[in-house]
Amino acid sequence: MDGAGESRVGGGGGDGSVGVQIRQSRRLPDFLQSVNLKYVKLGYHYLISNLLTLCLFPLAVVISVEASQMNPDDLKQLWIHLQYNLVSIIICSAILVFGLTVYVMTRPRPVYLVDFSCYLPPDHLKAPYARFMEHSRLTGDFDDSALEFQRKILERSGLGEDTYVPEAMHYVPPRISMAAAREEAEQVMFGALDNLFANTNVNPKDIGILVVNCSLFNPTPSLSAMIVNKYKLRGNIRSYNLGGMGCSAGVIAVDLAKDMLLVHRNTYAVVVSTENITQNWYFGNKKSMLIPNCLFRVGGSAVLLSNKSRDKRRSKYRLVHVVRTHRGADDKAFRCVYQEQDDTGRTGVSLSKDLMAIAGETLKTNITTLGPLVLPISEQILFFMTLVVKKLFNGKVKPYIPDFKLAFEHFCIHAGGRAVIDELEKNLQLSPVHVEASRMTLHRFGNTSSSSIWYELAYIEAKGRMRRGNRVWQIAFGSGFKCNSAIWEALRHVKPSNNSPWEDCIDKYPVTLSY
């Protein structure tokens, strides 16, 4: 580039051109172009993160030099001095032993994720766009405006042609019944659990804690009772059934299982996350209630957790943090995802136009709590100093957005829809590879509610990207309104489990999305 500039200037001839060339050569380089600021920030991050080590290193050198200069007479004098202070030594040792004992006895026991499994429905349940629209038309429940609205949502949703709807929805008219809903629940839950038990070689009777979450389908006996009956789990199992808690209930279920594992030693916990579509399809024409029809699809997951120290070697991850945020006290947030009847008496889930704004505010609260737990001290200093400057000097200073890429290698953003993923990619300043798992899960499986974050983690494993020490941020949104985060740390280089939902198609991904 410089050579090209000089030839253009020299073309004018005469002394003036020489002067121009001299002045041009004396200009300082553009540091913004020649220095990549990313590396400056990484250098700052490394310096602050290792500040204590850098400060202690000179002290260690001084101590080492002094120790090397000691002779046998100095060591003898030190021993004599300690003999005359035996009582002090005994007291200090007793205090040290007592403190270490209290620490060991009271510290939280680690919770390990041994393995997890995601349900892969059979091919005959796939619902391509054309079939979906044809069945919607043939039901006779939707007017032309509602059909056109659904077509546009499908085209812009980010869903692909291979997502699944339950068996009952493949009939015209759909076979909506309690028996069909139970059948869907059994296929999903038992399919995921069968694969989980096969991969881990765990006897179902060894399970001490069972947590099941499904928002919209809560029969009697409960879904957790259905699992107990199917696998003949032991009579003293502690089982819980979470209903009505939306797409973020998977993290809530993990949090509950974690708390139970901290109390009950030497046991396993199983967390099953799913949603049921059969009895919750909306057959009306209210547009805000038609969106879930276009986004939600069949899916479910089963996760095996353990507090047994011997399971650390075979486990995939260790649970680091769970952070939960609930904004149910705010009326707008409470009603932004709301199950109700329309004017004709048909039941569905209505999505408010304020949903994205409320989700953003809830996320802000969640990451404000999460940040100090996971961000390196360098990012916390920058964030704090920006707040101080904004408060004291200039109210127009933009708040500093912490770089969560320094805390996590992988992100599992709930595949609730294309808009949710777009907003988090933008606001958290993530790169396309960080949201790839979320986009591809939405494309391949649709919105599977609370289990979507597990399909995303399975995608990362299938791509061979999970390395020892990597941290994963699972973040989910749900009705209420809630935003919940779970942080996991990989204990080894993780390979995909047998019968992974991506096993037969991972080579086709990522795909290019067009809206």
Side-chain angles (χ1 to χ4, degrees), residues 408-480:
F408 308 110
E409 286 76 24
H410 308 285
F411 298 79
C412 295
I413 301 167
H414 167 52
R418 171 190 160 201
V420 174
I421 302 171
D422 287 347
E423 285 300 311
L424 264 71
E425 179 183 12
K426 175 183 176 183
N427 291 329
L428 295 179
Q429 299 177 352
L430 304 179
S431 65
V433 71
H434 289 125
V435 296
E436 182 182 312
S438 301
R439 292 197 191 280
M440 297 306 106
T441 296
L442 182 64
H443 181 272
R444 177 65 180 84
F445 295 100
N447 181 351
T448 60
S449 190
S450 56
S451 64
S452 68
I453 53 178
W454 296 106
Y455 285 90
E456 294 164 17
L457 188 56
Y459 178 91
I460 296 171
E461 291 182 0
K463 282 293 184 182
R465 297 172 181 171
M466 189 63 67
R467 318 303 292 172
R468 179 185 177 92
N470 283 182
R471 287 196 171 194
V472 189
W473 181 10
Q474 290 181 322
I475 182 167
F477 302 90
S479 58

Side-chain angles (χ1 to χ4, degrees), residues 108-402:
R109 294 176 65 85
V111 174
Y112 302 114
L113 191 161
V114 180
D115 205 349
F116 67 96
S117 174
C118 297
Y119 175 64
L120 179 63
D123 286 346
H124 72 271
L125 296 185
K126 287 184 177 180
Y129 291 175
R131 185 186 303 173
F132 180 96
M133 292 305 304
E134 181 66 10
H135 278 234
S136 295
R137 185 183 64 81
L138 292 175
T139 60
D141 293 302
F142 305 107
D143 59 28
D144 291 342
S145 177
L147 289 171
E148 179 63 16
F149 179 76
Q150 291 182 78
R151 185 188 65 78
K152 289 181 178 179
I153 292 295
L154 280 174
E155 290 177 351
R156 302 170 185 174
S157 63
L159 273 69
E161 296 279 358
D162 293 329
T163 60
Y164 306 89
V165 297
E167 185 84 38
M169 307 310 299
H170 286 271
Y171 292 91
V172 180
R175 297 181 177 179
I176 308 300
S177 66
M178 175 64 77
R182 282 184 181 275
E183 183 179 354
E184 179 192 348
E186 290 173 353
Q187 286 178 349
V188 174
M189 295 191 305
F190 299 164
L193 284 168
D194 286 346
N195 193 44
L196 179 69
F197 291 142
N199 288 340
T200 58
N201 294 318
V202 169
N203 187 334
K205 289 190 179 295
D206 292 335
I207 305 302
I209 300 162
L210 173 65
V211 184
V212 181
N213 69 270
C214 181
S215 188
L216 295 175
F217 182 59
N218 293 284
T220 299
S222 67
L223 298 178
S224 59
M226 291 165 60
I227 294 174
V228 172
N229 177 260
K230 164 71 175 178
Y231 296 97
K232 309 305 177 188
L233 303 183
R234 63 197 200 196
N236 64 343
I237 190 169
R238 294 165 178 84
S239 64
Y240 302 88
N241 205 91
L242 307 181
M245 304 193 78
C247 299
S248 66
V251 177
I252 297 173
V254 167
D255 190 35
L256 175 58
K258 177 206 70 174
D259 290 343
M260 297 299 296
L261 286 170
L262 294 179
V263 175
H264 304 282
R265 294 174 176 268
N266 201 38
T267 190
Y268 289 112
V270 167
V271 175
V272 179
S273 299
T274 187
E275 191 51 86
N276 195 280
I277 297 174
T278 298
Q279 285 194 314
N280 296 288
W281 202 264
Y282 175 62
F283 293 98
N285 294 298
K286 187 175 180 180
K287 290 183 171 58
S288 62
M289 300 171 76
L290 282 169
I291 297 175
N293 284 12
C294 303
L295 297 180
F296 282 88
R297 295 293 184 265
V298 170
S301 63
V303 181
L304 179 65
L305 302 175
S306 173
N307 58 10
K308 302 179 181 182
S309 56
R310 66 175 179 269
D311 279 326
K312 180 179 179 180
R313 294 187 64 182
R314 69 167 183 150
S315 295
K316 288 184 172 183
Y317 306 95
R318 178 178 66 89
L319 182 60
V320 182
H321 298 293
V322 175
V323 175
R324 294 167 55 182
T325 302
H326 202 308
R327 296 194 62 212
D330 180 83
D331 290 341
K332 277 190 174 182
F334 176 72
R335 294 189 65 92
C336 69
V337 181
Y338 201 80
Q339 187 179 23
E340 60 184 351
Q341 291 180 321
D342 64 10
D343 296 337
T344 64
R346 291 170 174 169
T347 302
V349 176
S350 176
L351 303 183
S352 167
K353 62 182 180 181
D354 300 320
L355 176 59
M356 289 307 302
I358 292 168
E361 287 297 318
T362 313
L363 171 65
K364 180 180 177 182
T365 304
N366 188 266
I367 64 176
T368 300
T369 306
L370 179 67
L373 300 175
V374 298
L375 286 170
I377 189 65
S378 57
E379 287 296 291
Q380 296 189 45
I381 291 174
L382 287 175
F383 181 72
F384 176 74
M385 291 182 65
T386 305
L387 288 180
V388 171
V389 171
K390 180 179 176 65
K391 187 74 174 178
L392 298 180
F393 302 105
N394 187 356
K396 295 182 179 180
V397 173
K398 291 184 178 180
Y400 177 72
I401 300 176

Side-chain angles (χ1 to χ4, degrees), residues 75-102:
L75 294 175
K76 184 177 180 180
Q77 290 296 325
L78 179 61
W79 173 250
I80 294 173
H81 177 73
L82 292 176
Q83 282 184 320
Y84 285 106
N85 291 274
L86 187 61
V87 175
S88 300
I89 294 174
I90 293 174
I91 293 174
C92 291
S93 299
I95 293 174
L96 180 62
V97 171
F98 177 77
L100 288 174
T101 303
V102 171

